Structure formats: structure tokens, C-alpha cells
Amino acid sequence: ADYILHHAESIPRMTVRELAEEAHVSKAAIIRLCHKLGLDGYRELRVEMAGELERRRLYLANVDANRPFTEQESCATTISLVAKLEREAIASCYQSVSPDMIDTVAREISRASHVILYATGDSCLVSSLFASKLAKIGVQCIVAGLYGDYAANTALVGEGDVALFVTYSGLLLRGAMFPNPIATVRARGCTTVAVTGLAEDDALVSAADHVISFQARESQKGAIGSFYSTACMNFVL
């Protein structure tokens, strides 16, 4: 705990192994400390610290990601609250996402013959923008479900290609498309990448070759919009 407090700025980018080595403790001791703090694990500690550090640094209000504004707010206040929420989202991502992981995934994408994106809803809209950016640098990208042709588009990819699963809540793998898409593309030799706010023990996170994760602050039910999650996914991509 003393090491974490004295090196707070470094913690969001340190792995549990690196922290264990620097603090001269076991990884199990770190996980026990996280549990004593009421956290699920070290990943949650990292993202919580990243958000808190950025709020303190920029003096940002902790805007409710589910209901950042109400119908009673003035237009000016609404604009201000949405801007603060999106700044917090980007700041949190910047602090918690590993540059090394981004670099690894970017290199995989640059070498791939095809990149296939799996996403639904607002995640699909963000993914489509990313596909457009990739096209501008000569990387062929397929948004698998843009017209509902998941199976047909999946059949186009194979060994050496990259499949990105962009999902905030995990609905992507819960009946939104044909059964078990990540297993299908892995069987075809694709490298799999998850861009998500899901927990470490989620099936998608466990199955992916690479994971780029960010702090989850929106509820699957009751949120009036996807301001936070959309900003996070857009920033990462």
C-alpha cells in the first residue's frame, strides 16, 4: 500500500507482475489488498486510480455516466456536463490503457491481409469510423455485421488476419450474432483482439489473444445515452 501511494502515477500502467517485483511482494498479496479495498482485482484498482488521478489533476467533476444531465438542465449546463464526461472518459482511457498493448495490436493490424470488426449498436457505428480510417492508410477492413452478414464476412478471413471485437457490455456475444464468433475466427487462424469495458473474467476477455480494456462506468440498463462508452471506444480505436 505504501508503494502504491508513493508511486500513484505509475500504477495505472504497471502490470501486477511489475508491481509485485517493485514492491517486493507476491502477486497474491496484491490481489488480497485489492479485495480488502472492495475491488474485484488489480485491473479494477488500476482503472479506479487512473480516473481518480485525472479528476484531481484536471479538477473535473465526477459526472454520472448513466445520467450526465436531466431534463431540467439548461442547454449551456447540458453542453458543459457532456463535455466534462467525455474529457473524463478520454483521460481515464489514457491513464489505464497500455501503450505497449496498443503498439502490439497496431503492428498486428498493419501486417494483416484483412481486418474484421465485430460490433453491434453504437459500437458498430464507432467501428465503422475506425474502418474508414484504416481504409485511408490502405488496410482492408470489414465491419462484419454492418448489413447483418456475420457468417458470410467471417468466411472471408483466415490465418494472419485480425478480428477485433468492439463491445462495451458484452452483448456482442450474448445472442446478437451467430453463435460463438470468437471461437469461429480463432479456428480460422485469426488473431483476436477485444476492445471492451468488460471484467477480466468475462468469456470474451478470457478468449481473446489481446485485450485493450477501459473502465466501465455506464450501466447496461438505465443509461440515457452512450456518451461515455462511445468516447472510450473511439479514443482507443
Side-chain angles (χ1 to χ4, degrees):
D2 286 339
Y3 183 91
I4 290 171
L5 290 172
H6 285 94
H7 301 82
E9 294 285 344
S10 301
I11 299 303
R13 287 180 175 156
M14 294 179 72
T15 65
V16 66
R17 179 184 60 79
E18 290 170 338
L19 177 57
E21 290 176 355
E22 292 295 327
H24 306 293
V25 297
S26 68
K27 290 189 287 187
I30 296 171
I31 300 304
R32 286 197 298 271
L33 173 62
C34 294
H35 290 167
K36 287 180 181 180
L37 294 171
L39 304 173
D40 291 336
Y42 180 62
R43 173 181 174 272
E44 189 175 356
L45 174 68
R46 288 173 57 198
V47 296
E48 288 287 345
M49 287 195 67
E52 181 64 22
L53 286 168
E54 199 60 29
R55 280 192 292 275
R56 290 183 181 184
R57 183 181 297 114
L58 301 178
Y59 304 100
L60 295 177
N62 189 5
V63 182
D64 184 350
N66 294 309
R67 301 189 67 82
F69 54 85
T70 67
E71 59 185 348
Q72 284 77 37
E73 309 287 3
S74 68
C75 182
T77 299
T78 299
I79 291 170
S80 173
L81 290 169
V82 171
K84 286 180 179 179
L85 179 59
E86 294 201 357
R87 284 202 301 269
E88 285 191 4
I90 293 173
S92 178
C93 281
Y94 176 74
Q95 288 294 324
S96 59
V97 170
S98 165
D100 290 339
M101 180 59 70
I102 295 286
D103 184 68
T104 296
V105 172
R107 291 178 187 277
E108 292 274 8
I109 289 173
S110 69
R111 290 191 293 264
S113 299
H114 301 90
V115 176
I116 186 166
L117 281 154
Y118 291 93
T120 59
D122 290 345
S123 302
C124 189
L125 297 176
V126 176
S127 297
S128 298
L129 290 173
F130 181 57
S132 175
K133 292 175 182 177
L134 288 181
K136 290 178 174 64
I137 57 172
V139 177
Q140 185 174 356
C141 187
I142 304 164
V143 182
L146 192 58
Y147 302 108
D149 296 330
Y150 291 109
N153 286 323
T154 299
L156 298 175
V157 296
E159 188 172 354
D161 293 332
V162 174
L164 273 79
F165 292 82
V166 184
T167 175
Y168 176 73
S169 62
L171 293 177
L172 184 67
L173 297 183
R174 293 173 174 81
M177 60 175 65
F178 69 93
N180 208 356
I182 193 165
T184 302
V185 295
R186 290 196 72 176
R188 296 182 63 86
C190 282
T191 297
T192 54
V193 181
V195 178
T196 184
L198 294 169
E200 291 176 341
D201 59 353
D202 187 88
L204 173 62
V205 174
S206 301
D209 296 310
H210 306 296
V211 179
I212 303 174
S213 59
F214 51 87
Q215 183 182 11
R217 286 177 57 186
E218 278 177 8
S219 172
Q220 292 185 34
K221 296 181 180 179
I224 62 174
S226 58
F227 300 101
Y228 173 82
S229 58
T230 300
C232 286
M233 290 183 289
N234 189 55
F235 177 77
V236 170
L237 292 172

